[in-house]
Amino acid sequence: MANSGTKSRDVGIASAASESARLDLWLWAARFFKTRALAKKAIEGGKVEVNQVAGKPSKPVHVGDRLAIARGEERFEVDVAALGDQRGSAAQVQSLYRETEASRNARAEAAERRRLERHGYAKPPTKPDKRARRLIIALGDIDAM
């Protein structure tokens, strides 16, 4: 066989023969986490649910499952549309899942709320000097009482 020298960059989408994929592998392939180790840590920490049940890293994921994923301040609720075992580009792996409309709206509202919370804060032009630091520490102690 002659090799044309080009490599296929298709996402490894599982065929109908293999109807499930490991949860940690699918989350990594769908680019929710940078490494499988981070995906496993999030799953074990209770940040990922499969069909409203806490997941385990080796839990099989099937097409049609609903995943609730917490990553930092972001919360995703997605339906598994396809199974994948290889990490591809962000544009390619978006075919692996469909985010629910409610999840998309909630994330947009949370981003807007964070933006508005930052709006009223003005960063001081310089670092506090020694006297100002002592006053800040003293004021902090008042709150502890």
Side-chain angles (χ1 to χ4, degrees), residues 5-142:
T6 61
K7 287 186 175 180
S8 173
R9 296 209 178 247
D10 293 336
V11 176
I13 296 177
S15 65
S18 78
E19 63 251 355
S20 67
R22 284 179 57 106
L23 179 58
D24 60 344
L25 180 63
W26 188 89
L27 288 169
W28 169 77
R31 293 183 155 269
F32 282 103
F33 297 97
K34 226 172 193 178
T35 64
R36 280 184 67 185
L38 287 174
K40 180 180 177 188
K41 191 174 182 181
I43 295 165
E44 290 172 344
K47 306 288 187 201
V48 179
E49 293 180 350
V50 180
N51 297 325
Q52 300 177 346
V53 177
K56 291 186 178 180
S58 61
K59 179 168 179 56
V61 176
H62 306 281
V63 173
D65 283 351
R66 177 157 293 184
L67 304 179
I69 305 161
R71 189 180 66 190
E73 292 185 8
E74 292 183 311
R75 306 286 182 260
F76 297 90
E77 194 169 304
V78 298
D79 294 323
V80 177
L83 300 174
D85 58 355
Q86 288 184 335
R87 193 171 171 101
S89 71
Q92 290 174 329
V93 297
Q94 284 182 351
S95 65
L96 295 179
Y97 63 89
R98 283 186 295 281
E99 186 174 5
T100 62
E101 196 64 37
S103 171
R104 197 173 293 124
N105 292 338
R107 283 192 317 114
E109 288 174 13
E112 180 67 18
R113 188 173 50 253
R114 286 191 303 271
R115 187 186 68 78
L116 292 173
E117 287 171 356
R118 281 192 312 264
H119 184 67
Y121 174 75
K123 185 177 176 184
T126 60
K127 291 171 54 176
D129 60 3
K130 190 173 189 175
R131 182 173 178 268
R133 279 195 307 272
R134 287 181 177 165
L135 286 171
I136 292 169
I137 291 169
L139 290 175
D141 289 346
I142 292 172

